[in-house]
Amino acid sequence: MCNIYRTKKGKVCKAGKPVDLSLADGSKTEGVWGGSATEEKLDWWLKKPGNELTQTDEVAEVGVKDTKTDDIAWAQAPDGAHLLFVLEAPVTGKNGAPYRIAKMVTREATKAEAAYFKEPRSALFGTMKPGRSIRRLSPLAAPPPRPSAQGELF
């Protein structure tokens, strides 16, 4: 699953860190990127009290960090694409400050994306429309899978 992205303005955002988001009314907010919410269960996520659909600034590319090598596989985002997040109801942290968890909305990866990223899920590209609906954007074709590193010969 996507765990890093770059905005059109060049800002890199990573899972586990705060991300800038916009609400349906255009107001700005922030959430701590903590996991994902599947597109197939989006209605369930949004029925929870206090949860809201949000979107990022326009994104240029998304990536998946390989846990073994720390390499990042990047893929371009379609023009005009935003990433969508479910912003959960506020909770209070151990330090007493409130924060909100933001769960990226994901979809089933295309065969090319699954081969390239080595992940069955990918980011849902789109923009929010009034009434919690989404204008979905098709992903661009993923680059071909990278060849496996050759093992030791001797």
Side-chain angles (χ1 to χ4, degrees):
M1 182 193 71
C2 173
N3 52 21
I4 188 168
Y5 68 90
R6 187 183 330 271
T7 68
K8 287 279 188 178
K9 295 179 182 176
K11 183 177 180 179
V12 175
C13 302
K14 300 176 182 181
K17 303 288 182 190
V19 291
D20 296 326
L21 300 166
S22 297
L23 299 168
D25 65 6
S27 61
K28 301 294 184 185
T29 189
E30 178 182 89
V32 177
W33 184 355
S36 63
T38 61
E39 177 186 22
E40 297 85 353
K41 294 182 180 177
L42 188 56
D43 288 338
W44 178 83
W45 281 102
L46 294 175
K47 285 181 184 175
K48 290 184 164 194
N51 285 6
E52 299 178 84
L53 184 64
T54 62
Q55 70 182 17
T56 64
D57 290 336
E58 192 174 341
V59 295
E61 55 188 347
V62 296
V64 174
K65 186 175 182 179
D66 186 304
T67 56
K68 294 176 185 166
T69 66
D70 285 341
D71 290 337
I72 299 173
W74 290 98
Q76 296 295 311
D79 284 336
H82 298 259
L83 297 178
L84 301 156
F85 281 82
V86 172
L87 191 61
E88 293 187 329
V91 294
T92 303
K94 292 179 183 178
N95 64 358
Y99 69 96
R100 297 178 82 177
I101 295 292
K103 299 205 176 271
M104 177 188 279
V105 179
T106 64
R107 59 174 171 73
E108 186 176 339
T110 65
K111 287 182 182 180
E113 288 172 320
Y116 177 68
F117 288 123
K118 298 179 179 97
E119 293 283 341
R121 306 282 308 170
S122 194
L124 175 65
F125 295 114
T127 57
M128 290 189 313
K129 296 185 340 186
R132 285 166 60 171
S133 64
I134 300 167
R135 182 175 67 91
R136 288 162 177 75
L137 296 174
S138 297
L140 299 177
R146 293 177 287 174
S148 298
Q150 182 166 344
E152 210 171 301
L153 295 175
F154 301 98

